[in-house]
Amino acid sequence: MRAIVQRSFGGPQVLQVAEAIRPVPGATEVLVRVHAVSINPVEPIIRSGAFPLIGQPPFTLGWDLSGVVEEVDPGVNRFRVGDEVYGMPYFPKAAGGYAEYVVAPSRQLVRKPSGLTHAEAAALPLAGLTAWQMLVDIAELQAGQRVLVHGAGGGVGHLAVQIAKARGAYVIGTASAGKHEFLRGLGVDKLIDYRTADFVDVVRDVDVVLETIGGGTAERSLSTLRKGGILVTAVDKASTALPKLAAAAGVRFAGISVEPDVVGLEALTQLVESGKLHPYVQQTLPLENAAKAHELVEQGNVQGKIVLTA
């Protein structure tokens, strides 16, 4: 099979098309013929060596996938050959998603919503589960609450906006002006162009802040929360200072590492099927253009997700 293999850390050029051995499903696993795999911002950082999450090369990156079941371990009863599935297997361990075939635990996959293409389905798992686990599992967002979503037009952000609106929240989003029309279409109630306005000057008394930007955004967001509100971050999760700052401000703090979650994936699927959630794909590229896909993600300002098709 074809796979994108990197044999050293470095720039996008280290991502090379290679012939690899097709994996064989083990106990509790299925073999998936990958139709699409999306790029997440963490992947270029891993590729560069700045965050060696899955060890030393050689390896194949990629987690977010959508495809068709080709083989099933005899003990697996959730799927049959031919089922369309999507998910985020093994994260944060290596899954080898930039490839034509992937094996995955059956309970880390769910059936693909019929209304989504494989590219759209591949755009959903990691970003969607991050947003779901932040807003629902941790913040327990309720109808009528106010939520500030930083980077509202990005991969996690645009899904978080839709999840929050589906739960009846009032949504404030930060994003560049070029994404405002897109975000209004998703239902954002108030938009802030971070290039021309400082959110700390215009946002007060929110119940939840969702932060995936870094660069001091979490610390500065504490002043926007009401007493007892919660800041949830996927960036500064290991901070020792933020919990103390939050406590001093009378608010709560939580960091998150996204996990494979069949319950969360099923919840996202239900939102998709009810018309309340739709992942946006800015661009699709063939698998062999993985380096170009990484370049686009590293340039920043991606609206939604970049997806590779195999």
Side-chain angles (χ1 to χ4, degrees):
M1 69 170 187
R2 291 182 308 145
I4 302 299
V5 178
Q6 68 172 87
R7 295 180 172 84
S8 64
F9 291 125
Q13 73 280 357
V14 303
L15 300 174
Q16 299 290 323
V17 180
E19 285 296 316
I21 298 173
R22 188 170 115 168
V24 176
T28 78
E29 294 180 332
V30 298
L31 176 71
V32 178
R33 171 65 172 91
V34 177
H35 284 233
V37 56
S38 74
I39 312 297
N40 291 289
V42 71
E43 289 156 32
I45 302 173
I46 297 169
R47 184 214 68 226
S48 72
F51 182 40
L53 181 66
I54 55 177
Q56 297 294 311
F59 53 67
T60 294
L61 285 168
W63 286 274
D64 275 349
L65 61 91
S66 181
V68 177
V69 175
E70 289 263 328
E71 294 180 28
V72 179
D73 172 72
V76 170
N77 297 292
R78 299 186 70 240
F79 301 116
R80 296 180 179 178
V81 172
D83 285 345
E84 295 185 318
V85 296
Y86 78 108
M88 182 191 76
Y90 296 117
F91 190 85
K93 296 180 181 179
Y98 297 0
E100 291 182 307
Y101 293 91
V102 167
V103 294
S106 71
R107 292 190 178 274
Q108 293 183 5
L109 301 171
V110 299
R111 285 175 173 79
K112 180 182 78 66
S114 59
L116 294 185
T117 66
H118 281 293
E120 290 168 335
L124 186 54
L126 194 147
L129 285 174
T130 299
W132 181 267
Q133 290 168 13
M134 293 175 87
L135 290 174
V136 180
D137 293 344
I138 297 175
E140 300 180 335
L141 184 66
Q142 302 295 315
Q145 290 189 318
R146 290 160 49 87
V147 56
L148 171 61
V149 179
H150 286 297
V156 173
H158 86 288
L159 298 172
V161 163
Q162 295 175 75
I163 292 167
K165 292 303 298 181
R167 296 182 74 81
Y170 180 94
V171 178
I172 305 165
T174 66
S176 58
K179 296 180 181 179
H180 284 197
E181 182 177 355
F182 166 66
L183 289 167
R184 288 190 188 97
L186 298 182
V188 176
D189 298 286
K190 180 177 181 178
L191 284 160
I192 301 166
D193 181 355
Y194 65 85
R195 293 174 176 170
T196 60
D198 192 336
F199 70 90
V200 299
D201 295 330
V202 293
V203 181
R204 287 290 182 276
D205 297 323
V206 296
D207 298 279
V208 180
V209 174
L210 186 149
E211 197 282 299
T212 61
I213 303 298
T217 303
E219 289 88 343
R220 300 181 68 245
S221 295
L222 293 173
S223 66
T224 69
L225 285 160
R226 66 164 177 80
K227 296 295 183 182
I230 185 168
L231 165 70
V232 189
T233 177
V235 179
D236 295 311
K237 59 195 177 190
S239 171
T240 56
L242 274 169
K244 298 174 183 176
L245 292 171
V251 301
R252 294 172 291 149
F253 166 82
I256 177 177
S257 295
V258 66
E259 301 177 59
D261 176 8
V262 68
V263 175
L265 273 180
E266 293 285 12
L268 294 175
T269 298
Q270 290 174 14
L271 287 179
V272 170
E273 291 177 338
S274 67
K276 296 178 180 179
L277 180 66
H278 195 96
Y280 178 79
V281 176
Q282 176 176 298
Q283 188 172 350
T284 60
L285 296 165
L287 183 66
E288 56 267 26
N289 285 6
K292 175 63 176 177
H294 273 227
E295 289 174 4
L296 292 171
V297 171
E298 287 182 297
Q299 288 167 9
N301 207 35
V302 171
Q303 184 168 289
K305 298 293 290 292
I306 304 294
V307 175
L308 298 173
T309 55

